[in-house]
Amino acid sequence: MTSKRDLLVIAREIAGSARGSEQIEARVGRGRDTDVEVLRGSVESLTVAESEGVTIRVVVDGRQGVASAGSLDPEIVAATLKDARDNARFAEPDEFSGLATPAELGDSLVPELDLWRDDLALIPTEEKVAMALELERAVLSANSLVRGVESSSYGDGSNESALVTSTGIEAAQRRTTASLGASALAGPETDTQTGYGFSVGRTLSDLDLEYAANQAANRAVRLLGATQPKTQRIPVILDPLVTRTVLALIVSALGAESVQKGRSMFAGRLGEEIGSPIVNLIEDPTNPEAFGATPFDSEGAPTRRVDLVTAGVLNGYLHNVTTARRGKTVTTGSALGSGVGARAAYLRPGPLSVEELFASVPHALYVQSVSGIHSGTSTVSGDFSVGAEGLMVRDGVFAEPVREATIASTLPRILLDIAQIGSDLTWLPGGGAGLTLLISDMMLSGS
Amino acid sequence: MLDEDVIRRTLGTALKRGGDFAEVFVEEKTSSSASLDDGRVEEVSSSRRRGVGIRVVVGETTGFAHTADLSEEGLRSAAEAAAGAAQGSAGVREVGVFSRKTVEPTHDVRDYPESIDKEIKVEALRRADAAARAEGGAIAQVSASYADSRRRILVANSDGLIAGDEQIRTRFSVNAVATGDTGLQTGMESPGRTVGWELLEEFPPEQTAQIAARRALSKLEARPAPSGKWPVVLKKGAGGVLFHEACGHGLEADLVARDASIFKGRVGEQVASSLVTVVDDGRLAREWGAYGIDDEGAAAQRSVLIEDGVLTDYMWDLLRARKEGRKSTGNGRRETYMNLPMVRMTNTFLERGETDPEDIISATDYGIYCVALGGGQVNTATGDFVFGVTEAYLIENGVLTAPLRNAQLIGNGAEALRAIDLVGNDFDTWAGTCGKDGQGVPVSSGQPTLRVSELTVGGTGA
C-alpha cells in the first residue's frame, strides 16, 4: 500500500483543479482487508483484498454535485470529477451549502487519535486462519447444548484516507480494525436457537476469543425452550446491544438536519427535559476506545465531544457546516456522508453492576435482541414497537426464555422511563457503545 | 469487457498451485441518483465501479481476491493472491475450452438511464413533491429520490463457461411526513423495476407521491392496532416480503447445509397448506430481482420450491450444486465483484389461487387487513419472524373499518404457511433489497391477497 502522503497528494491535485467560484472537496482512501470464514473445521473461504476509492463534491453557487468511483486510476478520477461538475448543474442552490472554510472552523484542532497498529500488517495469514478455526472449536466446546456453528470468522482491515478542499482544509488519518464473530446453533432441530458472539479491536492481539465463543454459546443456549409470554405491562432490561440500537434511533433524531426539516420528534425541545434526570447522552468520536472514533468528520471539520443531553435536559443537536450556518451556530464535527450523524454515542454509565441492576427490580423482561427495527420504529413519529426475544428476570436472576413477542413504547417515553443505567459500558462494532439499561415500563405483547 | 486470451491466462495463473475450479468475474457498474428534500433538489450524484473478483476452489476451501486494476498484471497478481489463499495439493487442472453461453435478455429496456437528460429526471422529483403536498395541508415534509444503474458482468471459469449480462434498474421513491394531533406520521412508496426511465410511465411520480402522502395521512387518523391473535389478510404484493424472510431463506441450499434451516431434509413433505405454491423466478420480466445470468454465469430460471404445499426443491448456487452433483438453479449472486457469491433469491412469490380478494375480506368477521409491510427480521433456523405493518385496517363483520398503526405481525414461517386458508386470484409484487450476510442484492417478492387464519398481532391498543 502506498503511504499516507500519496493520498494527500492525490486529494490536493483534485481539489486544486477548482476554477472560478467553484469549490471542490476530494476524499480519497485505500484499504487492505483479510477475511476468513471457517465451517466444520476447514477454511470455507479466505479473502485477501485491496481496495481504493474517491468521492468528489463540487459546489458552484450553492449547487452541489457528488460523484464517486472505486478506483484512484487518474483517468477514472478525471471522469469522476467531470461527473461531479455535471451533477452540480442540476441541483438547486441553497444559500447555506458550500464547503467549510478554515476560518469557519476557528481554532479547533484536529485531535490526535491513535487508531493504527503497525503489527497487524506483519501477522501471517496462517495465524488468522488458526484463530477462526479455534473460535469454531471454542464455541462447540463452550456448552454441551451447542450442536453446531453456523458461522465462524476472523476479519481485519487497514484503511487510510485523506480529505482536501479547495477552501484550504486538509486532513488525513489511518486506522486498523480486527474482529472475530461466531454464530452458535443450540438445541434440537425442532427448537433451534442461534446466538451471536464477537470481539473487536485494533489488532489481532486485542481479540478475546473465549469471550466471543462463550457469548455465542450462552446467547443461544439460554433461549432454548422459549415460549410466547403473556401480554402485560412490565419493566424491561435492555441488553447492551439492544441499548445501542435504541440509542442510535434517539441520536439520529438529534441530527440538526432532521430537526430543521421538521422530521424529528425532538424539534423545538432545546432546554427541555427529554429524559429522566439520570440520563447523560454524549457523542464523542475523539474517544479512541470507540469503534467510530475519527479525528475529523466527512467535511474535514475536527470532531469533538458533544453533550447532547445532560441530567435529562436537551442541550443541543449534531451539526455539519450547512446545518450550522442555517441554525446560526457552529459545526459539531458531525458531518457523515452528505448529512449529519453520530459516530460514537453513549450513555454515561451509572453506579450499578449488571447483577445489582437485575436485583433492583422484582420482575422484568430481559431483552436479548430486537427485530423489525426499521419497520417498527420511527424517529419522526417516535413510534417504537419491535419484535423481542430474551428471558424473564425474577428476583435478580434469569427465569424462563421468551420468543415471538413484541415490546412497545415510544422513543421519547423510553428516554423518560430510564430507571437505572448499568456500569457495564461496552464499545461495539459499528460505532457507539452499549450498557445494560432498565426501562421502568413497556407494553409486552404475546399471547 | 476483457480479452478472452487474458482471461484464459488469468485462470491458468489461478490454478497454478492446483485447484478444482477457478473463476473470473468482471463487473462494471455505473449508477446515478438525485434527491429532493424540503422542496429543493439537494444533491445529484453518480458513482462508478469496475473490477474483477477471482476465486479458486480447492476441496472445501475457496480462495478469493479482487482488484480494480484490470491490466493483465493486476489480474495476475489477484489470481496469485486467490491461489495462495486456497493452497491445495490437488493436481494442476487445465482450463477448459471457452464456449460462450447466450441467454435471452430478460429485459427490453427502452430508455437507458444515461440517455435521459438529468433535467428531466430532477423535474420528476419536483412533480412528486408538488403532488404529495397537494394531498393536503397536513403534509408537512416531502422527500423524493430516483436511483438508476447499469451493471454489466462477464463470468468465465475453468469449466470453459463464458457468459455476460447487462442489468438495468430504475427506482423512484417518495417519503411524506404528515402532521396532526397525534404528532408526525410518515408514508413511503418506492416502485422499482429492471427497466430504464420508462418506469415512470408505469409508475408516474404523481401517483407514487399520492400513495406515500395518503399513507402518512391515514396514519394520522389511525388508532393503535389491537394486540392478540387474529386472522390476518395480506393484500396482494404486501406480504411477499414476509414469505421471503420467513420461508425463502430457509429454502436456500447454503443455509440448509449449515443446519440453519427448518426445511432441512424435508423435500417431499407437506410443509404448507395445499393452497400454497412458492416459486422463485429470476426470469420474471421487468421484476426488480430479474437478470439474464446469475453472478456465476448460470441462466436465471423458474424454480418451483413448494408445490401445492409439498416441498419440492431448494435454491442452489454453483458450489453447493457441484457438491451434490447437480446443476445450479441460477441463484448464485453477489453484491459486487468484491464479494463471494452465495445462494440468493430473485423474484420469490406465492402463486395466485381462485378466490376473489373481496370475498376474502367479506369472509372475515374480525381481523387485520395489511396493505403495506415494512422490513422485518427472521430467525432462519426456527422460522420465527416479526414484521412491522406500515399500513393496515381493521376488518369488522367482513368490512374494512378503522385505519391502524403500530401493528407488528409475529409468528413462525412454517406455521404461517400451514395456516393460509384463503388465496386470492389477484397478484402483485414488491421491490426490495435483501441483505443476507451484509451483501445487498435487489429482489422482489409477491403474492396474491391471502388470509392467514391466525397470527399474533403485536400492537399498543387493547
Side-chain angles (χ1 to χ4, degrees), chain B residues 133-154:
Chain B
R133 290 178 191 276
E135 287 298 305
I139 297 296
Q141 191 54 280
V142 179
S143 65
S145 64
Y146 73 79
D148 52 39
S149 65
R150 179 177 188 169
R151 180 183 192 240
R152 292 198 301 145
I153 60 169
L154 178 71

Side-chain angles (χ1 to χ4, degrees), chain B residues 240 243-258 261 263-264 267 278-283 289 291 294 296 298-306 311-322 324 326-333 341-350 380 417 434 436 441-445:
Chain B
F243 297 102
H244 166 103
E245 296 289 351
C247 308
H249 282 299
L251 295 168
E252 294 168 339
D254 53 347
L255 290 183
V256 173
R258 284 168 189 272
S261 164
F263 295 115
K264 186 183 177 178
V267 171
V278 179
V279 175
D280 181 83
D281 188 354
R283 295 189 61 78
Y291 46 74
D294 72 1
E296 302 180 306
Q301 68 177 56
R302 175 186 158 91
S303 310
V304 178
L305 306 170
I306 295 174
L311 179 58
T312 47
D313 196 7
Y314 307 118
M315 289 167 277
W316 300 84
D317 65 1
L318 186 64
L319 290 194
R320 297 284 162 210
R322 278 169 79 95
E324 300 290 322
R326 53 166 292 158
K327 280 198 150 142
S328 160
T329 51
N331 290 88
R333 305 179 67 184
M342 59 182 151
V343 185
R344 305 301 295 266
M345 282 175 261
T346 61
N347 308 300
T348 313
F349 55 91
L350 269 73
T380 55
L417 280 180
C434 172
K436 183 179 173 185
V441 298
V443 296
S444 83
S445 54

Side-chain angles (χ1 to χ4, degrees), chain A residues 151-169:
Chain A
S151 65
S152 172
S153 63
Y154 167 90
D156 66 38
S158 46
N159 291 279
E160 301 181 72
S161 66
L163 182 152
V164 175
T165 71
S166 60
T167 55
I169 290 171

Side-chain angles (χ1 to χ4, degrees), chain A residues 87 92 150 192 261 385, chain B residues 42 118 126 258 375 382 408:
Chain A
N87 287 338
E92 289 167 336
E150 189 182 359
T192 298
K261 289 176 176 167
S385 171
Chain B
E42 274 194 335
K118 283 178 194 164
R126 293 190 196 102
R258 284 168 189 272
T382 58
Q408 295 267 326

Side-chain angles (χ1 to χ4, degrees), chain B residues 47-308:
Chain B
S47 72
R48 56 179 77 216
R49 170 171 89 213
R50 191 181 68 180
V52 174
I54 297 173
R55 64 174 166 160
V56 177
V57 179
V58 182
E60 301 287 309
T61 301
T62 297
F64 183 61
H66 58 79
T67 179
D69 179 356
L70 266 55
S71 69
E72 188 161 2
E73 273 167 51
L75 295 172
R76 189 187 309 126
S77 129
E80 278 168 358
Q87 294 179 25
S89 51
V92 175
R93 214 179 147 245
E94 292 292 308
V95 177
V97 177
F98 284 150
S99 65
R100 189 168 281 274
K101 200 146 110 186
T102 51
V103 288
E104 294 291 314
T106 47
H107 61 79
D108 186 15
V109 173
R110 194 188 72 200
D111 298 328
Y112 274 78
E114 65 272 22
S115 72
I116 302 296
D117 195 275
K118 283 178 194 164
E119 187 52 45
I120 293 174
K121 295 184 181 180
V122 299
E123 184 54 33
L125 299 178
R126 293 190 196 102
R127 283 163 54 198
D129 183 52
R133 290 178 191 276
E135 287 298 305
I139 297 296
Q141 191 54 280
V142 179
S143 65
S145 64
Y146 73 79
D148 52 39
S149 65
R150 179 177 188 169
R151 180 183 192 240
R152 292 198 301 145
I153 60 169
L154 178 71
V155 191
N157 68 32
S158 54
D159 294 342
L161 173 137
I162 185 162
D165 195 19
E166 180 180 64
Q167 297 155 4
I168 309 288
R169 288 190 168 84
T170 302
R171 191 158 199 193
F172 195 88
S173 310
V174 180
N175 194 315
V177 178
T179 177
D181 296 341
T182 54
L184 303 172
Q185 296 295 340
T186 59
M188 177 162 173
E189 177 67 4
S190 187
R193 289 280 189 264
T194 49
V195 300
W197 192 250
E198 66 270 23
L199 174 85
L200 273 72
E201 286 171 17
E202 188 181 350
F203 302 99
E206 289 82 2
Q207 178 191 312
T208 301
Q210 273 171 5
I211 295 172
R214 286 175 189 173
R215 210 158 261 169
L217 290 170
S218 87
K219 278 201 228 166
L220 287 181
E221 308 295 321
R223 63 188 202 207
S227 51
K229 287 193 173 173
W230 314 114
V232 171
V233 178
L234 297 165
K235 187 188 173 180
K236 62 174 180 170
V241 61
L242 192 157
F243 297 102
H244 166 103
E245 296 289 351
C247 308
H249 282 299
L251 295 168
E252 294 168 339
D254 53 347
L255 290 183
V256 173
R258 284 168 189 272
D259 279 351
S261 164
I262 41 164
F263 295 115
K264 186 183 177 178
R266 301 189 60 193
V267 171
E269 284 181 29
Q270 188 87 26
V271 296
S273 149
S274 59
L275 298 172
V276 172
T277 292
V278 179
V279 175
D280 181 83
D281 188 354
R283 295 189 61 78
L284 203 61
R286 301 162 56 82
E287 287 297 330
W288 191 235
Y291 46 74
I293 59 167
D294 72 1
D295 300 324
E296 302 180 306
Q301 68 177 56
R302 175 186 158 91
S303 310
V304 178
L305 306 170
I306 295 174
E307 190 162 21
D308 301 330

Side-chain angles (χ1 to χ4, degrees), chain B residues 393-421:
Chain B
Y393 299 85
L394 198 61
I395 305 172
E396 291 174 293
N397 302 317
V399 181
L400 298 185
T401 57
L404 302 173
R405 63 187 161 91
N406 284 5
Q408 295 267 326
L409 301 181
I410 312 147
N412 179 276
E415 282 167 25
L417 280 180
R418 284 194 292 269
I420 292 173
D421 62 353

Side-chain angles (χ1 to χ4, degrees), chain A residues 179-182 196-200 208 211-213 215-216 241 426-429:
Chain A
S179 64
L180 276 176
Y196 187 67
F198 62 88
S199 176
V200 293
D208 188 339
Y211 172 80
Q215 193 185 25
L241 283 166
T426 316
W427 290 99
L428 297 167

